[in-house]
Amino acid sequence: MAQLFSAEWMNQLKDAWNADPEVSQKLADINFSSTISCGFKDEENPRGVFVVENGICTSAGDWNGEAPDWDMRAEMKDWLKWVEKGIGMMGLGTAYATGKLKFKVGDYSAMIKDPRMAGPFVKSFGLMQQVGADELG
């Protein structure tokens, strides 16, 4: 398995994303395009970046200064728990409400209220579980 948020891991997630019509096609249907970054709460900058154009992830890898539309942060132990066990809509809501999942950029509340975005967002965490991950060295 690749290390969480490494370029290799981000590209495995990209492949899983593009192969899953419940994510890529549903987001293509609403012309969803965004730069999504993710990393750890205690770090200034994100680790990985994921660029989506009309639902399809067109590039993924190490964050290199891109300005994100969405920047998700959590502690490593929480990311690894979600990657290992998955997380559903209720778990995501709890993680957000308790501060385990933070959005440095992006409006979680507006997104989660829009079923056209909420479903694929929750499903993307299932893709992380499908990919799996190793801790950072």
Side-chain angles (χ1 to χ4, degrees), residues 14-136:
K14 171 188 167 200
D15 293 342
W17 174 291
N18 290 339
D20 191 324
E22 290 297 309
V23 176
S24 57
Q25 186 57 54
K26 295 277 186 195
L27 292 173
D29 291 346
I30 61 169
N31 300 313
F32 178 83
S33 296
S34 285
T35 298
I36 303 164
S37 61
C38 39
F40 303 111
K41 289 187 341 186
D42 62 345
E43 296 180 350
E44 183 179 338
N45 295 320
R47 293 284 184 121
V49 67
F50 201 75
V51 179
V52 178
E53 296 176 16
N54 291 318
I56 302 299
C57 181
T58 57
S59 67
D62 293 327
W63 180 78
N64 194 25
E66 296 88 350
D69 300 297
W70 301 90
D71 184 358
M72 298 182 293
R73 303 296 182 93
E75 292 183 16
M76 182 177 313
K77 68 179 176 58
D78 292 319
W79 280 121
L80 291 172
K81 180 176 78 175
W82 301 329
V83 166
E84 180 186 343
K85 299 181 182 202
I87 189 168
M89 181 75 77
M90 196 123 130
L92 279 170
T94 300
Y96 178 74
T98 60
K100 287 185 176 184
L101 178 63
K102 294 250 187 221
F103 283 75
K104 283 187 89 170
V105 179
D107 186 348
Y108 173 82
S109 298
M111 179 268 301
I112 212 70
K113 290 175 187 168
D114 183 344
R116 301 170 309 156
M117 290 178 66
F121 176 70
V122 172
K123 181 78 172 162
S124 72
F125 276 80
L127 297 177
M128 291 179 193
Q129 182 182 15
Q130 187 181 313
V131 169
D134 288 332
E135 281 189 56
L136 299 176

